[in-house]
């Protein structure tokens, strides 16, 4: 098998398998990152709880030491030493249960310690004489919790922890790159620890977003995902401890996704390339389908409309002009909506400046004479269409910014082929080669198509003394007279009222046209006869004048009858001395 064919066969499956492989690798990496995030989070929960309980255990040792004090002065001295050496302790409180008196070693107010909403959780795993309080605000913006020891006498010794310092050992704990660990007092719903110290003591939004409900249902340990501040968050929680604190650890979903971004990015890039290839194939297919329709156009006006539709669909532009070129006469012509042609410029030298396969993008300053005639006064593309080495048309497309040249080249190439075939087909099947009028076959078809249509008339005209013109002035002059008659016919009988302008043979022509009534039909032909009589052509600086005779009839009953009546009227005009218009009003 040839290498190009092998590459074509294997390239698409290879790209698809590569994309699928990268997506699978990204998916596996994502699962691995998620598992790693959960493992780190569980590990962080364990570490955080161990750090907190180690501090509670250390406080219990200090409480035992204070319980052994021999006197009040020894108690105060020991307490002050403990507070001085341990910054995480904010105060030591002594409570006399008989007198209900609260005494601060540092002589601070004790109103907050006597608050009725404070709750205690015994540490039975150590001893029933120890308990941990819920968090409370000792003074404004200073949140604490206490560990108390109940003496044999029933009195109590409290060590209060300043949360701002007591939980800072948890700051080093995080999940992945942007994860978090925080601790919530399950009794009050307030934050015991948060990476942002200013949040300590405030209600936890995340805890109240769903974890608290799970705790209340009896689920003390598990996973939970929630949405907070435009981020999807995954977390694990652990509330299975004697002090009723809930330890929460987790991270954002985006943090998990970022760990697999290399595979995801590669898959996205390859997927984008695949999408780009599919998009290009789709656009190419659509463009080919639309361009193929150009081959089905039956006339120049239809071709122009279809070409304009294609440019509208595939190119950004500010206007399109299509000019056809007649190499025999050097005419650049435009076609209106009804198919009427209009000569814009006669310049054979300009046609020589265009070259096959050329495509230029220029500004107003460099516009060619034809573009100026068409009033193209902005940046534009000039796209000439050729039949081999012969110019057949020029497309002007106004565009503020350049577009894809590959698309314009495809449109140009297809248009050249379609227009060449259309023009060749029209010449062979429907047009007279010399005058570009309809030929006899086309005329007969159009007569049949308009039989018995109201307001339709057929005129046959003949150049008077044409043989004399040929004999006296030569056949070249005769040919110029014939083409001149054809040009005047196009001028006097424009579409849509003109149904067919035809050369019937030699110096004889036919006009199938619409009129309001017989008088209007007669007046239109009389105006044409008068125009011919007053016009002239110049050959070798010598004017050549000629006249025509015209016979008219309504287009009814059949093709042969209509042609016969018009021909009879023509001979009547010649019998009256030529340069006449005769209307055959005979009705069957």
């Amino acid at each position: 098998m040839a290498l190009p064919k092998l590459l074509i066969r294997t390239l698409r499956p290879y790209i698809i398998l590569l994309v699928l492989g990268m997506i699978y690798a990204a998916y596996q990496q994502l699962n691995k990152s998620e598992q790693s995030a959960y493992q780190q989070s569980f590990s962080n929960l364990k570490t955080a709880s161990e750090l907190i309980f180690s501090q509670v255990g250390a406080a219990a040792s200090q409480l035992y030491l204070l319980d052994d004090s021999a006197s009040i002065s020894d108690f105060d001295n020991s307490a002050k030493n403990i507070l001085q050496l341990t910054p995480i302790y904010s105060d030591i409180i002594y409570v006399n249960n008989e007198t209900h008196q609260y005494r601060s070693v540092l002589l601070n107010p004790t109103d907050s310690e006597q608050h009725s909403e404070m709750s205690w959780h015994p540490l039975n795993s150590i001893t029933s004489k120890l308990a941990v309080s819920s968090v409370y605000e000792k003074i404004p913006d200073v949140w604490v919790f206490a560990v108390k020891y109940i003496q044999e006498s029933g009195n109590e010794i409290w060590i209060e922890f300043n949360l701002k310092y007591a939980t800072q050992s948890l700051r080093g704990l995080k999940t992945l790159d942007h994860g978090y660990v925080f601790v919530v007092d399950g009794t009050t719903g307030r934050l015991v620890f948060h990476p942002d110290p200013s949040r300590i003591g405030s209600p936890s939004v995340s805890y109240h977003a769903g974890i608290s409900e799970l705790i209340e249902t009896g689920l003390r340990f598990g996973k939970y995902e929630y949405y907070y501040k435009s981020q999807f968050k995954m977390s694990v929680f652990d509330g299975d401890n004697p002090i009723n604190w809930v330890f929460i650890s987790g991270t954002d979903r985006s943090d998990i996704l970022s760990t697999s971004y290399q595979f995801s990015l590669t898959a996205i890039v390859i997927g984008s390339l695949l999408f780009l290839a599919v998009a290009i194939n789709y656009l190419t297919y659509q463009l080919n389908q639309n361009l193929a329709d150009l081959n089905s156009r039956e006339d120049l006006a239809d071709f122009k409309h279809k070409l304009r539709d294609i440019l509208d669909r595939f190119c950004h532009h500010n206007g399109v002009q299509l000019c056809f070129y007649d190499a025999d006469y050097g005419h650049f012509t435009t076609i209106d909506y009804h198919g009427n042609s209009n000569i814009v410029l006669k310049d054979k030298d300009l046609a020589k400046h265009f070259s096959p396969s050329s495509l230029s993008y220029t500004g107003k300053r460099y516009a060619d004479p034809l573009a100026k005639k068409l009033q193209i006064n902005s940046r534009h593309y000039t796209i000439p269409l050729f039949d081999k080495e012969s110019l057949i048309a020029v497309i002007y497309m106004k565009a503020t910014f350049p577009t894809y040249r590959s698309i314009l080249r495809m449109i140009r190439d297809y248009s050249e082929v379609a227009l060449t075939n259309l023009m060749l087909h029209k010449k062979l099947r429907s047009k007279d080669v010399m005058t570009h009028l309809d030929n006899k076959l086309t005329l007969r078809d159009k007569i049949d198509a308009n039989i018995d249509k109201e307001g339709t008339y057929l005129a046959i005209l003949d150049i008077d003394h044409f043989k004399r013109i040929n004999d006296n002035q030569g056949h070249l002059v005769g040919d110029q007279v014939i083409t001149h008659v054809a040009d005047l016919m196009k001028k006097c009988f424009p579409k849509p009222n003109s149904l067919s302008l035809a050369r019937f043979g030699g110096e004889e022509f036919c006009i199938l046209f619409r009129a309001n009534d017989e008088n209007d039909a007669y007046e239109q032909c009389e105006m044409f006869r008068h125009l011919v009589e007053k016009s002239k052509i110049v050959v070798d600086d010598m004017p050549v004048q000629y006249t025509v005779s015209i016979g008219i009839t309504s287009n009814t009953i059949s093709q042969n009858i209509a042609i016969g009546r018009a021909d009879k009227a023509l001979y009547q005009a010649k019998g009256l001395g030529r340069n006449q218009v005769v209307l055959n009003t005979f009705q069957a």
Side-chain angles (χ1 to χ4, degrees), residues 304-321:
K304 174 187 174 182
H305 298 153
K306 182 59 183 179
L307 180 61
R308 175 61 185 265
D309 289 341
I310 293 172
L311 291 171
D312 286 347
R313 187 174 183 188
F314 293 94
C315 300
H316 291 284
H317 64 81
N318 302 319
V320 174
Q321 290 273 20

Side-chain angles (χ1 to χ4, degrees), residues 480-481 484 488 530-539 541-547:
Q480 291 187 45
V481 170
H484 190 242
L488 294 179
H530 182 72
L531 179 64
V532 172
E533 182 182 22
K534 295 298 181 182
S535 65
K536 61 184 177 181
I537 61 174
V538 178
V539 180
D541 297 327
M542 294 293 295
V544 177
Q545 290 183 299
Y546 61 93
T547 59

Side-chain angles (χ1 to χ4, degrees), residues 273-524:
L273 293 176
L274 182 61
F275 171 78
L276 185 62
V278 172
I280 291 174
N281 285 336
Y282 171 77
L283 290 174
T284 303
Y285 172 77
Q286 288 293 318
L287 183 56
N288 286 333
Q289 287 288 100
N290 281 264
L291 290 172
D293 287 343
L294 285 174
N295 288 316
S296 63
R297 304 302 101 179
E298 296 182 353
D299 55 53
L300 295 180
D302 197 16
F303 177 89
K304 174 187 174 182
H305 298 153
K306 182 59 183 179
L307 180 61
R308 175 61 185 265
D309 289 341
I310 293 172
L311 291 171
D312 286 347
R313 187 174 183 188
F314 293 94
C315 300
H316 291 284
H317 64 81
N318 302 319
V320 174
Q321 290 273 20
L322 174 62
C323 280
F324 299 97
Y325 179 67
D326 188 332
D328 294 332
Y329 300 97
H331 292 167
F332 289 93
T333 60
T334 58
I335 304 291
D336 66 15
Y337 181 82
H338 298 291
N340 298 309
S341 63
N342 177 43
I343 299 175
V344 179
L345 182 67
K346 182 177 181 180
D347 190 343
K348 288 190 175 183
D349 292 333
L350 174 61
K352 297 177 182 178
H353 284 82
F354 297 110
S355 59
S357 302
S358 64
L359 192 157
S360 61
Y361 180 62
T362 57
K364 174 184 177 181
R365 180 180 176 183
Y366 301 100
D368 58 53
L370 179 57
K372 292 178 180 178
K373 278 283 187 179
L374 296 171
Q375 298 183 345
I376 297 175
N377 51 13
S378 61
R379 298 191 67 82
H380 62 276
Y381 280 96
T382 304
I383 311 171
L385 305 181
F386 278 80
D387 176 9
K388 296 182 179 179
E389 298 299 322
S390 300
L391 180 69
I392 53 177
V394 183
I395 302 171
Y396 292 98
M397 186 179 79
K398 293 190 286 185
T400 305
F401 301 101
T403 187
Y404 293 104
R405 283 180 173 264
S406 57
I407 293 178
L408 293 180
R409 290 191 186 99
M410 288 184 65
I411 293 175
R412 179 197 63 199
D413 294 344
Y414 268 86
S415 299
E416 284 181 338
V417 174
L419 183 56
T420 299
N421 292 338
L422 173 62
M423 296 177 72
L424 179 61
H425 179 76
K426 287 178 68 66
K427 286 182 179 180
L428 294 177
R429 296 291 300 273
S430 63
K431 294 295 182 182
D432 175 68
V433 176
M434 178 184 293
T435 62
H436 302 295
L437 299 177
D438 292 343
N439 59 22
K440 186 181 295 185
L441 293 176
T442 303
L443 173 69
R444 290 184 179 277
D445 289 341
K446 291 186 178 180
I447 291 174
D448 287 338
N450 291 277
I451 283 292
D452 284 334
K453 287 188 178 179
E454 186 177 356
T456 304
Y457 294 85
L458 175 66
I460 299 180
L461 63 97
D462 188 87
I463 301 173
D464 296 330
H465 302 299
F466 183 72
K467 185 175 184 301
R468 185 185 304 171
I469 295 174
N470 275 339
D471 293 342
N472 295 338
Q473 301 185 54
H475 289 281
L476 291 178
V477 175
D479 289 346
Q480 291 187 45
V481 170
I482 289 174
T483 56
H484 190 242
V485 171
D487 291 340
L488 294 179
M489 286 172 61
K490 295 174 185 177
K491 182 177 180 180
C492 287
F493 294 91
K495 295 181 180 180
N497 287 336
S498 169
L499 301 174
S500 177
L501 303 177
R503 185 182 181 192
F504 204 62
E507 71 274 17
E508 197 169 42
F509 299 83
C510 288
I511 304 170
L512 183 67
F513 65 104
R514 294 191 182 97
N516 296 328
D517 51 32
E518 291 181 344
N519 291 331
D520 182 36
Y522 181 87
E523 289 298 329
Q524 290 186 47

Side-chain angles (χ1 to χ4, degrees), residues 116-132:
S116 61
E117 292 184 0
M118 186 185 298
S119 60
W120 293 91
H121 303 281
L123 296 175
N124 292 325
S125 59
I126 301 176
T127 175
S128 59
K129 293 182 178 182
L130 290 173
V132 178

